[in-house]
Structures are given as structure tokens and as C-alpha cells.
Amino acid sequence: MKGNTTTIYEDVTRRIVMSLAEGVIPWRKRWASPVNEAAFYNYSTGRPYTGLINRLLLGAPGAYLTFKQAQAEGGHVVKGAKSRIVIFFDPDYIPAKDRDEAERLKQEGLPWEHLKKPRYFSHNVFSVEDVEGLKPKDAPTPHESAQNPTDIANFVMSDYKDRTGVTVEERVSDSFLYDAATDTVHIPSRQQFPTEEQWYNTAFSGLVKSTAREDRCNRTSAIKDNLNKIESIKEELISEIGAAMVLSGVELENKAADDDTKAE
């Protein structure tokens, strides 16, 4: 079904606030995931629910399924059970009214990508713990990427720099910042970080800050010189969560080691 963006925003925000109130930063963790950790996945298809946002929305790893899938599997949702939202992103979605035109342009060898309208959509799902009558199923085998996560992270970083022209200056220093005037992320050397993952987390945090420019995501108020406290906190959250989402996407663990990972 088509997603209600407001509902998704509200649910994600609510879960983040609840975790922070408990002293937990939900997009960071101090441990490596064991190989056989239960994944977030669909009971019927075995497909994983990927991405940091889906983990926040679901709340706990395990198997989930829609109301119709529960019925098809011979089960029924227990009375009073609450559904949760999972979201999907389709970067290549073409509205029905434009599909014939897109096909015509493809056949004629003409540009057609401008007809793409990337969209989010969502489904309501239930935990298998809230569904009675299901047959036991083994969890899917954990996915193991054929590529080195750091290689993927380097590609993502290089691709963004090539497309936008932003510069990353890495050197031994005690300073980390994004300079909007020169469109440069200044970051300490990798050797100054306890782990490689923390360097990438910081680097992507700076690159997320660079998206504030008018010709990118147009959060121009976020890069002015006199940010008030609320604006500053909001932008720090955007950069932190944005970096965490990138690391999640490239399958790099963000094993936080410093006290600044504690919510206060």
C-alpha cells in the first residue's frame, strides 16, 4: 500500500525519543552482531527487512508477516495485537500514467529516466508472536556480503564526492567540521580513531552535513553561522542518523566506544 509519510515520521520519531529517554542511542551499539543473530525478516518469503529505519519501526529482531500472509499460512492474528510499519523504497518507480511513454522512449533509444518518480510505500505487519496457528520455520541464513564493507563505503564516499564536488580533507588534527564556504569536510586522520568504523561514521556524518546546501537538500538554515540551540541539535541528529543509515547500508558495524554515545 502507499505509505502515509506523516505516520512513518511520527512512529520513527516516537521510537527514537523513547530510546533516548531510556539512555539508549538506537542507531549505535557497542557490540558486534553474532553470525546467527535473528534477523528482521518476513516469515512467508524469508526476505529481510533491511535498513536502520525498519529496525527502528519493528523494534525487535524476528519474523513478521502481514494480516493476509498470516491467513494464507493457516494462522490468525490474536485479538488486540498491534501491527507495526515496515517501509520500502523504490528508486525506479514509474507512475502508471507514464509507463507507456517510458516504454516508447526506451524502444526509440531516447532518454526516459526523467519519468521515474522514486517513492516510499509501506506495509503493516505483525510479529509471529502475535499470530497463532503458524507452523515452525527456520530463520533464513544470515546474508554475507561478497564485498568488503569498507570497499563499499569507499565507493559510496567517492561517488558522492564525484557527483557533488564536495571535498574531504583528512589530516592529523583535533578538529572535525563541515565548512560550507569551501564545501569541505575537515576530519582527523584515521589513525586517530579507535576503530575504522568510527572514522567512517564521522566522515559520513560530515558528508550528511554537506547535504544542507541549497543545491542539495536545501537545509540552508542549518549551515548559517548563528544556529540556535534547537537548530544545532536538530542538525546534529540529522548528521548522526544519516551516517548510521549509510553504515547500516554498507554493512559496517558502528561499535561506539566513547562516552559521547550515551544519551543524557
Side-chain angles (χ1 to χ4, degrees):
M1 73 176 186
K2 185 176 180 179
N4 184 326
T5 305
T6 301
T7 300
I8 294 172
Y9 287 167
E10 290 174 348
D11 201 0
V12 171
T13 301
R14 179 178 59 83
R15 290 182 180 276
I16 290 174
V17 171
M18 286 173 60
S19 293
L20 292 176
E22 295 171 356
V24 177
I25 297 180
W27 56 89
R28 288 191 174 185
K29 61 182 183 180
R30 293 174 176 269
W31 62 92
S33 297
V35 174
N36 294 318
E37 179 186 42
F40 298 78
Y41 67 96
N42 183 278
Y43 172 89
S44 295
T45 66
R47 293 179 181 176
Y49 294 117
T50 59
L52 177 67
I53 298 300
N54 276 331
R55 295 179 185 181
L56 287 172
L57 288 169
L58 292 173
Y64 297 85
L65 70 174
T66 66
F67 186 86
K68 288 185 178 180
Q69 286 176 329
Q71 291 181 319
E73 295 282 354
H76 65 275
V77 178
V78 299
K79 186 176 181 180
K82 293 184 178 180
S83 65
R84 308 173 200 191
I85 298 173
V86 290
I87 62 172
F88 304 89
F89 178 65
D90 183 358
D92 298 318
Y93 178 74
I94 299 176
K97 65 182 181 64
D98 295 324
R99 290 171 191 167
D100 289 343
E101 177 67 5
E103 188 60 33
R104 181 186 69 79
L105 292 173
K106 286 182 187 178
Q107 293 178 357
E108 295 180 8
L110 298 173
W112 58 274
E113 287 83 356
H114 63 282
L115 294 175
K116 292 181 180 179
K117 305 292 183 184
R119 66 162 186 167
Y120 283 100
F121 60 100
S122 67
H123 291 298
N124 290 315
V125 295
F126 295 87
S127 168
V128 292
E129 296 180 0
D130 293 324
V131 182
E132 296 178 340
L134 295 177
K135 296 179 180 179
K137 282 187 180 182
D138 292 333
T141 302
H143 166 74
E144 292 186 9
S145 176
Q147 290 182 282
N148 187 315
T150 56
D151 291 339
I152 303 174
N154 288 332
F155 171 79
V156 172
M157 189 177 298
S158 296
D159 179 65
Y160 178 73
K161 291 191 296 182
D162 290 343
R163 287 186 292 106
T164 62
V166 66
T167 301
V168 175
E169 183 179 289
E170 177 191 352
R171 61 185 177 85
V172 176
S173 71
D174 194 31
S175 176
F176 164 64
L177 61 89
Y178 168 65
D179 184 350
T182 62
D183 200 19
T184 302
V185 176
H186 297 273
I187 183 171
S189 170
R190 298 172 197 237
Q191 287 70 34
Q192 293 178 255
F193 288 79
T195 67
E196 185 177 53
E197 292 84 359
Q198 288 186 43
W199 184 88
Y200 279 105
N201 181 75
T202 305
F204 281 119
S205 176
L207 292 174
V208 171
K209 289 178 184 291
S210 76
T211 65
R213 280 181 32 146
E214 184 176 4
D215 57 342
R216 292 170 192 156
C217 293
N218 195 23
R219 298 193 312 279
T220 51
S221 62
I223 53 178
K224 64 185 181 181
D225 294 331
N226 57 337
L227 283 180
N228 63 42
K229 185 175 182 179
I230 297 299
E231 291 171 328
S232 179
I233 291 173
K234 179 180 178 181
E235 189 58 25
E236 286 302 316
L237 277 174
I238 290 172
S239 64
E240 278 274 337
I241 297 174
M245 292 180 71
V246 175
L247 261 64
S248 174
V250 302
E251 300 181 0
L252 267 178
E253 296 281 4
N254 182 13
K255 298 186 280 283
D258 300 321
D259 289 340
D260 67 355
T261 63
K262 297 177 182 177
E264 297 180 355

